[in-house]
Amino acid sequence: MTTSRRRPEIGRFRARCATGVRGAGQDGLVNNGARDPLDTEALRKARGAFFTPPEIASFVADWAIRTAKDTVLEPSAGDAEFLVHAVARLRELGSASPHVHGVELHQWSADAGSARVANAGGSVEMAVGDFFDTPAVGRYSAVVGNPPYIRFQDFAGDSRAKARAAAFRGGVSLSGLASSWAAFTVHGALSLQPGGRLGFVLPAELLHANYAAPVRRFLFENFSQVDLVLFDERVFAEAETEALLLLANGYGGSTNHARIRQVTDAGALTIDMPD
């Protein structure tokens, strides 16, 4: 992957940090910490679920959503952290009744996420099931989220077969070493309309892993601009890998480089990014 010496034109966006606010007030932006009592840390890890800090979800939603008419999808929605901030962004842009879309494998999380979206003043079409069973129809202006991270050792059977088939439909042949996020990235991009934007939290393996090379090539060949935001400090305490933000703009275009910006932590995303 080559990088430009220019500073990334990520745009001026101030994330709406909800720290210190309790309950579902303030437009429902805050997750009050409710979790399925039967959903253990081990079960969440098995399906690659890591809940996203609100600063990150807000920043990505602000970057990806540009007009009140934008259509938004969060695959692997979990408790809909990104969709809640997408609703806030759409309302900020003038939408009186934001409607967003999500896919989530875990029923309890899907129900909790739908309630959070409603509390935020929006409505959601939440499909419960495997994202790879959802056809990539190219209808969304923005696809945002935090795809599941399941290491290849634990990513097997029917789930792996469906993931590799989904990636192959995008012209990407993934090796047996590929983790779950790789196919999610391709399938998410294929869900975009021309000119659309993909904003994902991904493992830093995107930058250096050999199995990620076809995904890097896919991003360069299908987006007119690719920006990466790296963190000095770990932003997911439960995860076994470092994370970065992928901000890919202009689906249907192409580029030959990625632009990289490094920040201290998720809190630094509350600072206006440079033009």
Side-chain angles (χ1 to χ4, degrees), residues 2-20:
T2 59
T3 59
S4 168
R5 293 181 180 273
R6 296 173 55 194
R7 301 178 73 182
E9 298 174 4
I10 298 176
R12 293 186 180 274
F13 300 112
R14 183 174 296 278
R16 292 177 294 275
C17 178
T19 302

Side-chain angles (χ1 to χ4, degrees), residues 37-60:
L38 301 179
D39 191 29
T40 65
E41 181 178 340
L43 290 174
R44 292 194 299 272
K45 183 177 179 181
R47 67 176 188 273
F50 297 98
F51 296 100
T52 307
E55 301 94 332
I56 289 179
S58 177
F59 176 78
V60 172

Side-chain angles (χ1 to χ4, degrees), residues 126-139:
M126 183 73 77
V128 178
D130 192 325
F131 178 49
F132 296 123
D133 291 331
T134 303
V137 294
R139 61 180 290 195

Side-chain angles (χ1 to χ4, degrees), residues 16-258:
R16 292 177 294 275
C17 178
T19 302
V21 184
R22 301 294 180 186
Q26 190 145 16
D27 301 329
L29 289 178
V30 181
N31 186 343
N32 63 8
R35 293 284 185 265
D36 181 354
L38 301 179
D39 191 29
T40 65
E41 181 178 340
L43 290 174
R44 292 194 299 272
K45 183 177 179 181
R47 67 176 188 273
F50 297 98
F51 296 100
T52 307
E55 301 94 332
I56 289 179
S58 177
F59 176 78
V60 172
D62 282 358
W63 171 83
I65 300 168
R66 308 291 175 88
T67 76
K69 295 182 178 180
D70 277 357
T71 49
V72 184
L73 170 68
E74 181 181 4
S76 188
D79 59 357
E81 187 70 36
F82 286 86
L83 291 182
V84 166
H85 290 282
V87 166
R89 175 64 170 163
L90 289 167
R91 292 179 65 187
E92 180 183 90
L93 292 169
S95 175
S97 54
H99 183 70
V100 292
H101 301 257
V103 181
E104 171 53 36
L105 188 64
H106 184 234
Q107 181 72 64
W108 196 97
S109 295
D111 292 342
S114 296
R116 293 187 69 208
V117 170
N119 288 338
S123 60
V124 60
E125 182 179 325
M126 183 73 77
V128 178
D130 192 325
F131 178 49
F132 296 123
D133 291 331
T134 303
V137 294
R139 61 180 290 195
Y140 298 102
S141 312
V143 175
V144 296
N146 182 1
Y149 178 71
I150 307 173
R151 290 188 179 278
F152 74 93
Q153 299 97 323
D154 303 312
F155 190 43
D158 186 54
S159 295
R160 175 183 287 279
K162 287 193 292 186
R164 294 183 70 179
F168 192 72
R169 285 192 290 272
V172 176
S173 180
L174 294 175
S175 77
L177 298 178
S179 297
S180 55
W181 65 267
F184 252 80
T185 302
V186 177
H187 197 52
L190 296 177
S191 301
L192 289 167
Q193 61 187 228
R197 293 165 294 281
L198 182 70
F200 271 1
V201 181
L202 295 178
E205 292 171 8
L206 172 66
L207 285 171
H208 58 77
N210 288 336
Y211 80 77
V215 180
R216 295 193 293 266
R217 187 180 312 112
F218 171 84
L219 293 171
F220 291 149
E221 292 177 350
N222 288 278
F223 288 92
S224 59
Q225 181 174 307
V226 177
D227 288 315
L228 303 173
V229 181
L230 313 184
F231 299 95
D232 291 334
E233 299 178 6
R234 180 166 293 189
V235 294
F236 293 94
E238 295 179 354
E240 298 174 353
T241 186
E242 302 294 337
L244 57 76
L245 302 186
L246 166 67
L247 307 174
N249 190 12
Y251 181 64
S254 64
T255 185
N256 61 4
H257 65 279

